[in-house]
Amino acid sequence: MKNNAAKIERAHLEDSLGDTAAEMYQLIRRLYPICRSITGNGVRQTLKILQEYVPLVIHEVPSGTPVFDWTVPKEWNIRDAYIKNSKGEKIVDFQQCNLHVLGYSLPINKTVSLDELKPHTFTLPERPDWIPYRTSYYREDWGFCLSHNQLQELRDDEYEVFIDASLENGHLTYGEYFLQGQTDAEVLISTHICHPSLANDNLSGIAVAAFMAKHLGSLPRRYSYRFLFTPGTIGSITWLSLNEAQTSRIKHGLVMACLGDPGKVTYKKSRQGNAEIDRAVIQALKDSGDAYDVLEFSPYGYDERQFCSPGFNLPVGCFMRTPHGEFPEYHTSADNLQFIRSEYLGDSLAKCLAVLDVLENNQTYVNQYPKCEPQLGKRGLYRAVGGDRSRAPYELAMLWVLNLSDGNHTLLDIAERSGLDFGFVKTAADKLLQHDLLKESSLS
Amino acid sequence: MKNNAAKIERAHLEDSLGDTAAEMYQLIRRLYPICRSITGNGVRQTLKILQEYVPLVIHEVPSGTPVFDWTVPKEWNIRDAYIKNSKGEKIVDFQQCNLHVLGYSLPINKTVSLDELKPHTFTLPERPDWIPYRTSYYREDWGFCLSHNQLQELRDDEYEVFIDASLENGHLTYGEYFLQGQTDAEVLISTHICHPSLANDNLSGIAVAAFMAKHLGSLPRRYSYRFLFTPGTIGSITWLSLNEAQTSRIKHGLVMACLGDPGKVTYKKSRQGNAEIDRAVIQALKDSGDAYDVLEFSPYGYDERQFCSPGFNLPVGCFMRTPHGEFPEYHTSADNLQFIRSEYLGDSLAKCLAVLDVLENNQTYVNQYPKCEPQLGKRGLYRAVGGDRSRAPYELAMLWVLNLSDGNHTLLDIAERSGLDFGFVKTAADKLLQHDLLKESSLS
Amino acid sequence: MKNNAAKIERAHLEDSLGDTAAEMYQLIRRLYPICRSITGNGVRQTLKILQEYVPLVIHEVPSGTPVFDWTVPKEWNIRDAYIKNSKGEKIVDFQQCNLHVLGYSLPINKTVSLDELKPHTFTLPERPDWIPYRTSYYREDWGFCLSHNQLQELRDDEYEVFIDASLENGHLTYGEYFLQGQTDAEVLISTHICHPSLANDNLSGIAVAAFMAKHLGSLPRRYSYRFLFTPGTIGSITWLSLNEAQTSRIKHGLVMACLGDPGKVTYKKSRQGNAEIDRAVIQALKDSGDAYDVLEFSPYGYDERQFCSPGFNLPVGCFMRTPHGEFPEYHTSADNLQFIRSEYLGDSLAKCLAVLDVLENNQTYVNQYPKCEPQLGKRGLYRAVGGDRSRAPYELAMLWVLNLSDGNHTLLDIAERSGLDFGFVKTAADKLLQHDLLKESSLS
C-alpha cells in the first residue's frame, strides 16, 4: 500500500465548506416536505433526489420477507388526511403538516363524536403549540397528531375523520452506495431515512452522509466505503439479514443522526468501547479544539442497536450533535428548517471527515534506526543551533514517531500517548518517511 | 438448575422487617449478660440459646489440639470476681459488669497494696466513666478493668483481690449450621462469639447471622450456606484446620460484625479485591440508595484475616456498619444495649439478604436471537406507539440484557455496565426467559 | 543471595549529610570555571578532577568513529576569544565568561562591520542582562553570545572578532566507573558533562552522581553499579554503540541532571512507564514526605532519549529537580554558583540513595505459615494484651508482609498495596525472617 494514497484533504474541504454547508441545507429544504415512513413512496422520492448527488443503488425488498426475528412489513402510502367539523371546516389537515397523521395509520373515512375521536389523538400538553410525531408500525390503528391547543379547542361535535392511506403488500426500499478503495476492508456509514418532516432527525444525517459520500468519491481511499440510507430499525435489520456474510469486512462504522442543531458534537461509543473507530472519533474531536461529549455505549438509540447486537458486535458508533430526546424539539413539528443551520451541518461534515482522515492514515511504521536516535540534524530535520527552541514542537513530533515506531504502535497510538494532534504526528511521519527513517510496517 | 429456584424474597422480608428487627434486639437482650470468652461455658450457653432460632451443631475441640501454627488453648471459666477495700466494701464487682475482669485471668485470692494492684488494672483515661474490655489469652496473667474515675478514687489501702476462675484443659466450642442448596457450592457466613457484654461487637453480628440463617432456611437456594459462630481468630483457625479439605467449596463469604450501630454500612473487600462477593455487595449497597463505604482489603480486622490468608485466599469480605475501632464505644462498657437499635439491625439484615439475592440470581444467559434485536413488540414487550416513552426504562433493561447476554456476561456484569439496579435487570431477564428470548447458559 | 547484604545505610548518610552537601558544592565550585564541550580538554580536566573522588576510567574514542547513525565529531579546543571595538577595547571577552563563544565555533580572526557581526551574535531580549548558552556542533559556524544590553550598546564601527579555537581530529572523552556487586545485574547512573559554566545544568548532576558512587563504594551491594560521565547525546550514543552487547545487564537506570536548584524533585518515567525503577523512585519520593512531581516519558530531554530508544528500551528514567527549560536561568549565565545551594544537592543525593535502597531491598519472600496467620504472640511479635493498640502500626506491617508474601509480591508491591513506607515494610520483613516466618523466594 502506498503511503501517499488515501489522504483526505480536509484543508481543501474547509476552504469550500461555506458552499458545501449551503448545499446541504438546500438538499434538506428539498427533502423536508416529503412524507417519509419506513416504507412507501416518500422513501423512494427521497432516494431519487439523493441520486442527484451520489449514484446510490435503490433496493426493494418485498413485504413478508423474513429478516431475522422480523418480517418486512406491508408498504404504507398516504395521499391525504383531515378532520372536518360539522361545518365542514378542515380543522386538522395533512396537506399542511404531514406529522398530523399517526405513521402507518389505517385508511378511515367516518363520522365520530368527540369522545370517539379523542383516543385516536396525540398531543404534547407540555408544548401546546407543537405537533408530536407518532407512529404505529406494528399494531394496526389509526390516529391524528395535533397541537394540544388544537385539541383543547375541539367542542362536542360530529367530526369527519378521513385518511386516504393504503397498507398493502409492497416493498421496503433502501439506498446503498459503495465506493471501492485500495482494500476490501470497509467503513460503514449508515443513516435513517424514515422520518417525515423532521429536519434535524434526520434530514441532517442524510445530507451530511450524502456529502461525505460525494466528497470521498473524488479522493484516493485506503478503505472501501459503504453508505446505507435505510429506514430505522427494520432497514438496518433487513440489510444485515441480506448481507450477513459480508459484514466481516466492516472494520469501522458510524451511524449518523441529528447533525444540524446548535449543540456540541456527541459521540456514542460502539459496544466494543475501545475500537479503533471509537479512538479515532475521540482523537478527531479533541484535535478540533471544540467542546464535545463522549457517551458510553447503550443498547438504545439508532441503528447502532442492530450493528452492535451481540451476534454482530460490529465496531460501529453513533455520531450526533445533541442526542435524541435531549433537545425539546425532538420528534415534534418544532424540529423544522429553522431549528437547523448550515454552519452546524458544515461543522458536522468537517468533523466526520477528520475522523475518516485518522482512519485512513492510521498506519504502523518501523523506525529504521531504532538504536539511539538517528541524527536528524545532518538531514536538515533538526535545529542547527543548540538552544534555538523555535522548531521544538516540530522536532518533538518526529522524536515521538521515531520513539514509538517499533512496529507495535499506530500513528493514533502515538498521537494518544504524546498528546499531539493526529495531523501533526502524520506530518512528522511523512517527513521521516521521505528521509527513509521509517518504513511502513508489513503487518498493517 | 431451574431459574425459578433460588429466589430470595426480599420484598416479603421487608414487610415483616419491623418484627424481625425487634426479635433480633430481643435475642441480643438475652445474650448480653452472659460472660463469653474464646472458650468456656459462656460460649456454650450462647450457642444453646441460638439453637432456639436455628438448629446449629455445637462442636467441641479439646485443648491442646494443634491447629496450624496455633494450639487450642485451655478452657477458661469464671464464676465470680471482685476487689474489696479494707472495709470489706466491693469496689469492683464482676457481678455488676463482666468486663471488669481481664479476659483469661488466672484465679487469684489475696490482699495487695494499691501499688501492687495498679499494674493489674486497665482504664481509659480519655473516657473516665467507661470500663475497657481487655484480654490476655496467650500470656498468663490476672487483672481488672475499671473506669478511670474508679481508679482515681482508690486510696492507699489494703485490697482483697478475688477471681474465682479456672484455666484448665477442656474444649473450644463453636457452632455450625449448614443449609444444603441445589448445589454444593457454598456461601460462608462467619461471625465471632467470644466477646462478653458488648452489644454491637458482636451480639449484633450474631443476631443478624442467626436471622439470616433462619430466613434462608425457608427459601429455595441455589447455593448451600454454612454459618459459623466461632470465637475470633482461634475459632476460625480451628475451623479452617479441621475443614481444610472442603474449603474449596466456598465460593463467596462474609464475616459479619458490628451491625447494630447508627453508622452507614461499611464493606471491606476480600483479599482478591474483585471477587463476585465484592461486586455483589457493592451492587446491593448501591441499589439500596443509602450511603455506604467500601474499604480495600487489609490484613487487620476480624476473621477475614484467616480466610484471606495467602494459603486460603478465599473470597471472603467483611460486612459491618461502623468499622471496629472507629466508634468511641468500641471495646468498652459503652457498647451496650442503648448503643444499638433494632432499626439498624433490621437494615443490616435487609442489606445482607439483598447481597445474597444478587449472588443467588447472578446467572449467565444466552440471547436466543443474537443477530439484531428480537422483535419485542410482537411479544407485547415493547411500546406499541413510537414516541411513547413511558415504558422506556423497562424496555431499556430488556435491551441491555439482550445486548450483553452473549454467554460472557452475568446479570451482575449487566447491572454494573448499564448502571441499572440488579433487581431491575433480573426482572427483565425473567420476562425475556418467559418469552424464550433467553436461555440459561450451560456454563454457569 | 544473602538478605543481610546490600543494605544502603541511608540513616548513617543523613547524619553526615551536611558535610557531604558542602563537599558537593565545593566540587562544583572547582569545576565551574572550566570550558567544557562535547569534546576537548575541558572534559578531560573535569574527569581528572572527578578521579580525586572516584577512581573512574577515562575513555578516548577517536574522531570519525561511526556510532550507530552518528560519527564521533572532531575535537574542539578553545584558548581565547574576544570582540574588540575600533578603539581596541575588548567589549566581549571569553576570559570573563566562557558562554560568550558559540560552542564548537570555528577559529576566526578578522575585522567586520556591525552589520556583518550581528548575524553571528546570540542574545536573550527577554532577559537583557543574561548571556545565553548556544552551540553549533554539527554545522560549522562561528559566533558570540552576549547580553542583549551589550548588543544594544554596539555602535556602527569596525569590530575585531577573534576566536582562538581548533576543530581537528582528536577524541571524544568520557568517564566510566563500575562497582561490582553480588550479582552482574546492573544499575546505570548517567550524567552529562558537556556544558561549560552552567552550575545546575549540569555540575549539580555530576557532583551528585560522583558522591553517590563514592558512597556506594563503601557498602555491600546486591546490584553492580555503572556510572557514566559522558557528553550529552553523542556521549551516550557512543557508549551504547561500544557496549551494545552488555546493555542487557542493565536492570534499572537513572539519568541525573539539574539537582541543585530550589525546585521540588521531578521524576520523568522511563519509556516502559511502569518499570521497577519507576515504581521505586515514586515510592521513595512518597516516603520522603516532601512534594514531588512525576512526568510521563517523552522522547525529549537528556540521555534517557538514547537509553529509551526503541532498539534498547531500557528501564531508565530521569531524576531532576526543576526540569530543563522550566527555570528561567536554564542555559544562561544566570545558571551560576548562586543559583544552586548545597542543601538542595544534599537533598537530591539523599533521595537518590533512598531510591537505591528500595531497589537493593526489593526482595520477594514466601510466608512459611501461609494457612491462617502464624501466632505472632508466642514469638513476642504481637501485643500481649488484647485491646492494647500501641503496637498496632508495627503489627500491621508484619501482617501485610505475611499476607502478601505468597511468592508473587515483592516488598515494593507490598508497600504500594498497603500504603506503608518501604522502610517500614522492610523492617517488618527482617523481623519475620529472623523468626523463620519468611524465606527468601528462590525466584527473585
Side-chain angles (χ1 to χ4, degrees):
Chain A
M1 199 178 313
K2 300 291 178 294
N3 76 295
N4 58 352
K7 198 167 161 184
I8 294 160
E9 283 148 359
R10 189 187 168 194
H12 176 264
L13 172 84
E14 285 181 346
D15 290 345
S16 66
L17 200 65
D19 290 352
T20 306
E23 286 178 68
M24 288 192 282
Y25 191 86
Q26 283 311 316
L27 169 58
I28 291 171
R29 184 187 288 277
R30 287 178 71 190
L31 298 174
Y32 184 73
I34 300 168
C35 185
R36 280 164 294 273
S37 185
I38 54 173
T39 59
N41 292 325
V43 170
R44 286 188 192 92
Q45 204 179 335
T46 299
L47 294 172
K48 199 151 273 179
I49 291 173
L50 290 178
Q51 283 179 324
E52 298 175 24
Y53 298 81
V54 278
L56 52 81
V57 176
I58 297 175
H59 297 266
E60 299 275 356
V61 184
S63 301
T65 305
V67 287
F68 297 123
D69 188 48
W70 302 62
T71 305
V72 172
K74 290 181 183 168
E75 181 176 327
W76 186 67
N77 283 293
I78 182 164
R79 285 157 294 276
D80 197 10
Y82 54 76
I83 304 175
K84 276 186 185 164
N85 61 18
S86 58
K87 296 180 198 160
E89 295 165 340
K90 283 192 186 170
I91 53 169
V92 170
D93 185 355
F94 171 78
Q95 303 300 340
Q96 287 189 352
C97 176
N98 58 35
L99 300 182
H100 274 315
V101 176
L102 178 73
Y104 260 63
S105 261
L106 296 175
I108 194 127
N109 188 357
K110 65 172 172 178
T111 301
V112 295
S113 69
L114 181 57
D115 281 353
E116 288 168 305
L117 176 60
K118 275 195 171 168
H120 292 273
T121 62
F122 302 88
T123 70
L124 287 171
E126 68 278 18
R127 298 279 181 182
D129 290 332
W130 296 357
I131 306 161
Y133 165 57
R134 294 285 181 275
T135 60
S136 188
Y137 300 135
Y138 300 102
R139 194 188 61 181
E140 300 203 343
D141 199 357
W142 64 268
F144 286 89
C145 301
L146 55 162
S147 78
H148 200 64
N149 288 340
Q150 280 179 300
L151 182 66
Q152 299 286 76
E153 283 164 16
L154 297 190
R155 307 279 152 238
D156 242 355
D157 195 358
E158 296 291 291
Y159 292 96
E160 183 188 346
V161 291
F162 176 72
I163 300 176
D164 178 12
S166 57
L167 184 58
E168 291 164 352
N169 281 333
H171 295 83
L172 176 147
T173 312
Y174 69 86
E176 185 167 12
Y177 177 50
F178 180 73
L179 265 171
Q180 179 68 45
Q182 289 168 352
T183 67
D184 289 339
E186 286 183 20
V187 179
L188 177 77
I189 305 291
S190 177
T191 196
H192 62 283
I193 56 162
C194 49
H195 288 181
S197 293
L198 298 171
N200 197 40
D201 181 14
N202 188 33
L203 296 177
S204 69
I206 294 169
V208 173
F211 277 82
M212 263 172 86
K214 192 166 181 290
H215 185 76
L216 284 171
S218 65
L219 294 176
R221 292 171 301 276
R222 177 155 77 114
Y223 286 108
S224 297
Y225 287 81
R226 185 175 303 276
F227 289 81
L228 299 181
F229 298 86
T230 64
T233 305
I234 187 65
S236 53
I237 292 170
T238 298
W239 187 85
L240 281 163
S241 176
L242 300 179
N243 296 278
E244 187 177 346
Q246 69 182 74
T247 54
S248 63
R249 289 188 202 155
I250 298 171
K251 303 306 177 199
H252 322 284
L254 290 177
V255 168
M256 317 257 294
C258 299
L259 291 171
D261 68 273
K264 61 189 160 188
V265 168
T266 301
Y267 177 66
K268 177 179 140 181
K269 290 183 189 176
S270 75
R271 181 181 187 267
Q272 297 179 21
N274 200 28
E276 190 175 340
I277 184 65
D278 300 317
R279 296 168 53 208
V281 174
I282 292 167
Q283 181 72 37
L285 293 178
K286 183 182 85 59
D287 292 352
S288 77
D290 296 338
Y292 63 94
D293 265 342
V294 176
L295 306 176
E296 292 301 316
F297 175 75
S298 91
Y300 188 72
Y302 292 108
D303 285 321
E304 70 278 8
R305 290 162 69 155
Q306 313 310 327
F307 299 119
C308 296
S309 58
F312 290 109
N313 196 23
L314 295 171
V316 176
C318 182
F319 196 98
M320 311 168 265
R321 298 187 78 89
T322 306
H324 53 90
E326 299 191 7
F327 51 97
E329 297 84 356
Y330 176 74
H331 277 201
T332 77
S333 56
D335 179 2
N336 57 28
L337 292 170
Q338 283 69 54
F339 179 56
I340 61 165
R341 277 170 53 183
S342 64
E343 68 194 82
Y344 305 131
L345 296 165
D347 180 71
S348 298
L349 176 58
K351 284 172 177 164
C352 288
L353 292 174
V355 171
L356 302 185
D357 187 58
V358 174
L359 293 177
E360 287 281 336
N361 291 297
N362 189 24
Q363 302 277 19
T364 303
Y365 298 100
V366 180
N367 179 345
Q368 300 301 294
Y369 297 81
K371 291 180 178 169
C372 300
E373 292 170 1
Q375 192 177 1
L376 297 177
K378 71 184 182 192
R379 295 170 178 91
L381 296 173
Y382 209 77
R383 67 188 90 170
V385 175
D388 171 9
R389 310 198 76 201
S390 60
R391 295 177 68 202
Y394 176 72
E395 292 162 3
L396 186 59
M398 287 192 294
L399 293 175
W400 269 113
V401 173
L402 288 167
N403 189 270
L404 292 180
S405 288
D406 54 9
N408 296 317
H409 295 89
T410 67
L411 292 190
L412 180 53
D413 292 328
I414 297 172
E416 288 178 342
R417 182 158 175 189
S418 69
L420 297 170
D421 280 7
F422 184 84
F424 206 28
V425 168
K426 168 67 180 159
T427 303
D430 287 344
K431 202 69 151 176
L432 294 167
L433 274 163
Q434 283 166 22
H435 286 85
D436 297 320
L437 292 167
L438 294 184
K439 263 197 193 161
E440 211 167 312
S441 169
S442 56
L443 298 170
S444 79
Chain B
M1 199 179 313
K2 301 293 178 292
N3 76 293
N4 59 351
K7 199 168 161 182
I8 295 162
E9 282 149 359
R10 189 186 168 194
H12 177 265
L13 173 83
E14 286 179 346
D15 289 346
S16 65
L17 200 64
D19 291 350
T20 306
E23 287 178 68
M24 287 191 282
Y25 190 85
Q26 284 310 317
L27 169 58
I28 291 171
R29 185 186 288 276
R30 287 178 70 192
L31 298 174
Y32 184 71
I34 300 168
C35 185
R36 280 164 294 273
S37 186
I38 55 174
T39 60
N41 292 325
V43 170
R44 285 188 193 93
Q45 204 179 333
T46 299
L47 294 173
K48 199 150 272 179
I49 291 173
L50 291 178
Q51 282 178 326
E52 299 175 23
Y53 298 81
V54 278
L56 51 81
V57 177
I58 297 175
H59 297 266
E60 298 276 356
V61 183
S63 300
T65 305
V67 287
F68 297 124
D69 188 46
W70 303 61
T71 305
V72 172
K74 290 179 182 168
E75 182 177 327
W76 185 66
N77 282 293
I78 182 163
R79 286 158 294 274
D80 196 9
Y82 54 76
I83 304 175
K84 276 186 185 164
N85 63 18
S86 57
K87 294 179 200 159
E89 296 164 341
K90 281 193 189 172
I91 54 169
V92 170
D93 185 355
F94 172 77
Q95 303 301 340
Q96 289 190 349
C97 176
N98 59 33
L99 300 182
H100 275 315
V101 176
L102 178 73
Y104 260 62
S105 262
L106 296 176
I108 193 131
N109 187 358
K110 65 173 173 179
T111 302
V112 295
S113 70
L114 180 59
D115 281 355
E116 287 168 306
L117 176 60
K118 274 196 170 167
H120 291 274
T121 63
F122 301 89
T123 70
L124 286 170
E126 67 279 19
R127 298 279 181 182
D129 289 332
W130 296 356
I131 305 162
Y133 164 56
R134 294 286 180 274
T135 58
S136 188
Y137 300 134
Y138 300 103
R139 195 187 61 181
E140 300 203 343
D141 199 359
W142 64 268
F144 285 88
C145 301
L146 55 163
S147 78
H148 199 63
N149 287 340
Q150 279 178 299
L151 181 66
Q152 299 287 76
E153 283 164 17
L154 296 190
R155 306 281 151 236
D156 240 355
D157 196 357
E158 296 291 290
Y159 292 97
E160 183 189 344
V161 291
F162 175 71
I163 301 177
D164 177 12
S166 57
L167 185 58
E168 292 163 352
N169 280 333
H171 294 84
L172 177 146
T173 312
Y174 69 86
E176 185 165 11
Y177 177 51
F178 180 73
L179 266 170
Q180 180 67 47
Q182 289 169 352
T183 67
D184 290 337
E186 287 184 19
V187 179
L188 177 76
I189 305 291
S190 177
T191 196
H192 63 283
I193 56 162
C194 49
H195 287 183
S197 293
L198 298 172
N200 198 40
D201 181 15
N202 188 33
L203 296 176
S204 69
I206 294 168
V208 173
F211 278 81
M212 263 172 85
K214 193 166 181 290
H215 185 76
L216 284 171
S218 65
L219 294 176
R221 293 171 300 276
R222 178 156 75 114
Y223 287 109
S224 297
Y225 287 81
R226 185 175 301 276
F227 289 80
L228 298 181
F229 297 87
T230 63
T233 305
I234 188 66
S236 54
I237 292 171
T238 298
W239 186 86
L240 282 163
S241 177
L242 299 178
N243 296 278
E244 187 177 347
Q246 69 182 73
T247 54
S248 64
R249 289 189 201 153
I250 299 172
K251 303 307 178 200
H252 321 285
L254 290 177
V255 168
M256 318 256 294
C258 297
L259 291 171
D261 67 273
K264 61 188 160 189
V265 167
T266 301
Y267 177 67
K268 177 179 141 182
K269 291 183 189 174
S270 75
R271 181 180 188 266
Q272 296 179 22
N274 200 27
E276 191 175 341
I277 184 65
D278 299 318
R279 296 168 53 208
V281 175
I282 292 167
Q283 182 71 36
L285 293 178
K286 182 181 86 57
D287 292 352
S288 77
D290 296 337
Y292 63 94
D293 265 342
V294 175
L295 305 177
E296 293 301 316
F297 175 76
S298 90
Y300 189 74
Y302 292 109
D303 285 320
E304 70 276 10
R305 290 163 69 157
Q306 312 311 327
F307 299 118
C308 296
S309 58
F312 290 108
N313 196 23
L314 295 171
V316 176
C318 182
F319 196 97
M320 311 168 266
R321 297 185 81 87
T322 306
H324 53 89
E326 299 192 7
F327 49 97
E329 297 82 359
Y330 176 73
H331 277 199
T332 77
S333 55
D335 180 1
N336 56 29
L337 293 170
Q338 283 69 54
F339 179 57
I340 62 166
R341 278 171 51 184
S342 64
E343 68 194 81
Y344 306 132
L345 295 166
D347 181 72
S348 298
L349 175 59
K351 284 171 177 165
C352 287
L353 292 174
V355 171
L356 301 185
D357 187 59
V358 174
L359 293 177
E360 286 282 337
N361 290 298
N362 189 24
Q363 303 277 18
T364 302
Y365 298 100
V366 181
N367 180 344
Q368 301 300 295
Y369 297 81
K371 291 179 178 171
C372 299
E373 292 170 2
Q375 192 177 0
L376 297 177
K378 71 183 180 192
R379 296 171 176 90
L381 297 173
Y382 209 77
R383 67 189 90 171
V385 175
D388 171 9
R389 310 198 78 201
S390 60
R391 293 177 68 204
Y394 176 72
E395 293 162 3
L396 187 58
M398 286 191 295
L399 293 175
W400 269 114
V401 173
L402 287 167
N403 189 270
L404 292 180
S405 289
D406 53 9
N408 296 316
H409 295 89
T410 66
L411 293 190
L412 181 53
D413 292 328
I414 297 172
E416 287 178 342
R417 182 157 175 189
S418 68
L420 298 170
D421 280 6
F422 184 85
F424 206 29
V425 169
K426 167 67 180 158
T427 303
D430 286 344
K431 202 72 153 175
L432 295 167
L433 274 164
Q434 284 166 21
H435 287 84
D436 297 320
L437 291 168
L438 293 186
K439 263 198 193 158
E440 209 167 315
S441 169
S442 55
L443 296 171
S444 79
Chain C
M1 200 178 310
K2 301 293 177 293
N3 77 294
N4 59 350
K7 200 169 163 183
I8 295 161
E9 283 148 0
R10 191 187 167 193
H12 176 264
L13 173 83
E14 285 180 348
D15 290 344
S16 65
L17 200 66
D19 290 350
T20 306
E23 286 179 68
M24 287 191 281
Y25 191 85
Q26 283 310 319
L27 169 58
I28 291 172
R29 186 187 287 278
R30 285 178 72 189
L31 298 174
Y32 184 71
I34 300 169
C35 185
R36 280 164 294 273
S37 184
I38 53 173
T39 59
N41 292 325
V43 171
R44 285 188 194 95
Q45 204 180 334
T46 299
L47 294 174
K48 199 150 273 179
I49 290 172
L50 291 178
Q51 281 178 325
E52 299 174 23
Y53 298 81
V54 278
L56 53 81
V57 176
I58 298 175
H59 297 266
E60 298 275 356
V61 184
S63 300
T65 305
V67 286
F68 297 123
D69 188 46
W70 302 62
T71 304
V72 172
K74 289 179 181 169
E75 181 176 328
W76 185 67
N77 283 295
I78 182 163
R79 284 156 295 273
D80 196 11
Y82 55 76
I83 305 176
K84 276 186 184 164
N85 63 17
S86 59
K87 295 180 200 161
E89 295 165 340
K90 281 191 186 172
I91 54 170
V92 170
D93 185 357
F94 171 79
Q95 303 300 341
Q96 289 189 349
C97 176
N98 60 33
L99 300 182
H100 274 316
V101 175
L102 178 73
Y104 260 64
S105 260
L106 295 176
I108 194 129
N109 188 357
K110 64 173 171 178
T111 301
V112 294
S113 69
L114 181 58
D115 281 355
E116 287 168 304
L117 176 60
K118 275 194 169 168
H120 291 274
T121 63
F122 301 89
T123 70
L124 288 169
E126 67 277 20
R127 298 279 180 181
D129 291 330
W130 295 355
I131 305 161
Y133 165 56
R134 294 286 182 273
T135 59
S136 188
Y137 301 135
Y138 300 101
R139 194 188 63 181
E140 300 203 343
D141 199 359
W142 64 269
F144 286 89
C145 301
L146 55 163
S147 79
H148 200 63
N149 287 340
Q150 279 179 301
L151 181 67
Q152 298 287 74
E153 283 164 17
L154 297 190
R155 307 279 153 237
D156 241 357
D157 195 357
E158 297 290 291
Y159 292 96
E160 183 188 343
V161 291
F162 175 72
I163 300 176
D164 177 11
S166 57
L167 185 58
E168 291 164 353
N169 280 333
H171 294 83
L172 177 147
T173 311
Y174 70 85
E176 185 166 11
Y177 176 52
F178 180 74
L179 266 171
Q180 179 67 46
Q182 288 169 351
T183 67
D184 290 338
E186 286 184 20
V187 179
L188 178 76
I189 305 291
S190 177
T191 195
H192 63 284
I193 55 162
C194 50
H195 287 181
S197 294
L198 297 172
N200 198 40
D201 181 13
N202 188 33
L203 296 177
S204 69
I206 294 168
V208 173
F211 277 81
M212 264 171 84
K214 194 165 179 292
H215 186 75
L216 285 171
S218 65
L219 295 176
R221 294 171 298 276
R222 177 156 76 116
Y223 287 109
S224 298
Y225 287 82
R226 185 175 301 277
F227 289 81
L228 298 181
F229 297 86
T230 63
T233 305
I234 188 66
S236 53
I237 292 171
T238 298
W239 185 85
L240 282 163
S241 177
L242 300 178
N243 296 278
E244 188 175 347
Q246 69 181 75
T247 54
S248 64
R249 290 189 201 152
I250 298 172
K251 302 307 177 198
H252 321 284
L254 290 176
V255 168
M256 318 257 294
C258 298
L259 291 171
D261 67 271
K264 62 188 160 190
V265 167
T266 302
Y267 177 67
K268 178 179 140 181
K269 290 183 189 174
S270 75
R271 181 182 188 266
Q272 296 179 21
N274 200 27
E276 191 175 341
I277 183 66
D278 299 319
R279 296 168 53 208
V281 174
I282 291 167
Q283 182 72 37
L285 292 177
K286 184 181 85 56
D287 291 352
S288 77
D290 297 336
Y292 63 93
D293 266 342
V294 175
L295 306 176
E296 293 301 316
F297 176 76
S298 91
Y300 188 73
Y302 292 109
D303 286 320
E304 70 276 10
R305 290 162 71 157
Q306 313 311 326
F307 298 119
C308 297
S309 58
F312 290 107
N313 196 24
L314 295 171
V316 176
C318 183
F319 196 97
M320 311 169 265
R321 297 185 79 90
T322 306
H324 52 90
E326 297 191 9
F327 50 98
E329 296 82 357
Y330 176 73
H331 277 199
T332 76
S333 55
D335 180 1
N336 57 29
L337 292 171
Q338 283 69 54
F339 180 56
I340 62 166
R341 278 171 50 183
S342 63
E343 68 193 83
Y344 305 132
L345 295 166
D347 181 72
S348 297
L349 176 59
K351 284 171 176 164
C352 287
L353 292 175
V355 170
L356 301 185
D357 187 59
V358 174
L359 293 176
E360 286 281 337
N361 290 298
N362 189 24
Q363 303 277 18
T364 303
Y365 298 101
V366 181
N367 180 344
Q368 300 300 295
Y369 295 82
K371 290 179 179 169
C372 299
E373 293 170 3
Q375 192 177 0
L376 297 177
K378 71 183 179 190
R379 296 170 178 90
L381 296 172
Y382 209 76
R383 66 188 91 171
V385 175
D388 171 9
R389 309 199 77 202
S390 60
R391 293 177 68 203
Y394 176 72
E395 292 162 3
L396 186 59
M398 286 191 296
L399 293 175
W400 269 114
V401 173
L402 287 167
N403 190 270
L404 292 180
S405 288
D406 54 8
N408 296 317
H409 295 89
T410 66
L411 293 190
L412 181 53
D413 292 329
I414 298 171
E416 287 177 343
R417 183 158 175 189
S418 69
L420 297 170
D421 281 6
F422 184 85
F424 206 28
V425 169
K426 168 67 181 158
T427 302
D430 287 344
K431 202 70 153 176
L432 295 167
L433 274 164
Q434 283 166 22
H435 286 83
D436 296 321
L437 292 167
L438 294 185
K439 263 198 192 159
E440 211 167 312
S441 170
S442 57
L443 296 170
S444 78

